[in-house]
Amino acid sequence: MIIWFKFHTPRWAFIQWLSVLERFATKDRLVSWGIQVNPTCVFVLGRVWSAILFHNGIISGSLVLQNVLNWTKQFHKGNAMVHTILKLSLAATIYWLWRERNSRVFQNRSQDCSSLQGVIIDDVRACISSWRGVKASPQNSDIAASRKISGKIFLP
């Protein structure tokens, strides 16, 4: 399961779930409701998602949400630390892109892509840092070290 899994973050998972169900109030939907918004796209997903994938050691990947979800389901099953981090990264990226979109549309405020990438990476790191009882293995230790995560997450 790529949305509701053991270490999911509820607010990220809920927004990811809405995204999968295509239930966001998109600009098209807002215009159809008579709300005045600029109908042009205000944000480019590609740069942010590519940077998050790269941070997780993945060089290329699809930028279309449905393709990303299918790829995640196919290749990142299970509870291995690396798979859980990728699922968290996807959920956090969707959540923070949704927040950024709302900020741009409704408050006319925006962050640059590198700032947004930093927020996502830091938020995922903070989430992982709260874990306890992770199996200590060379692979998990390398993953934690590369993301600057304390060894406190591992079993003694």
Side-chain angles (χ1 to χ4, degrees):
M1 188 72 124
I2 62 168
I3 297 175
W4 310 108
F5 53 95
K6 183 177 179 181
F7 291 109
H8 77 274
T9 300
R11 66 180 172 175
W12 298 350
F14 181 72
I15 295 302
Q16 184 180 13
W17 182 54
L18 289 177
S19 178
V20 168
L21 295 176
E22 298 180 4
R23 297 307 305 158
F24 283 130
T26 61
K27 284 188 171 191
D28 293 340
R29 209 172 273 157
L30 293 172
V31 169
S32 74
W33 295 341
I35 297 172
Q36 297 295 321
V37 294
N38 181 347
T40 59
C41 183
V42 295
F43 195 69
V44 178
L45 165 68
R47 282 184 49 198
V48 174
W49 181 237
S50 293
I52 300 302
L53 284 174
F54 183 77
H55 180 75
N56 284 296
I58 299 166
I59 304 304
S60 64
S62 177
L63 302 179
V64 177
L65 180 60
Q66 195 56 48
N67 294 344
V68 170
L69 294 171
N70 289 337
W71 173 78
T72 305
K73 281 186 225 174
Q74 183 178 3
F75 294 106
H76 301 290
K77 295 178 182 175
N79 292 324
M81 185 175 178
V82 68
H83 299 156
T84 302
I85 290 172
L86 285 169
K87 290 185 274 190
L88 277 175
S89 296
L90 174 61
T93 300
I94 291 170
Y95 173 80
W96 283 105
L97 288 174
W98 170 76
R99 293 263 321 246
E100 177 65 14
R101 186 278 256 169
N102 285 348
S103 184
R104 290 180 182 213
V105 170
F106 299 115
Q107 299 170 353
N108 203 25
R109 292 185 309 176
S110 65
Q111 296 183 70
D112 60 68
C113 286
S114 61
S115 296
L116 189 56
Q117 293 161 12
V119 167
I120 294 166
I121 289 167
D122 289 346
D123 216 11
V124 170
R125 181 183 300 118
C127 181
I128 296 166
S129 294
S130 71
W131 295 355
R132 295 295 178 264
V134 175
K135 180 182 173 188
S137 71
Q139 181 185 18
N140 287 350
S141 295
D142 290 346
I143 292 167
S146 71
R147 288 168 176 77
K148 301 176 185 161
I149 298 167
S150 166
K152 293 179 195 177
I153 67 171
F154 297 112
L155 288 170

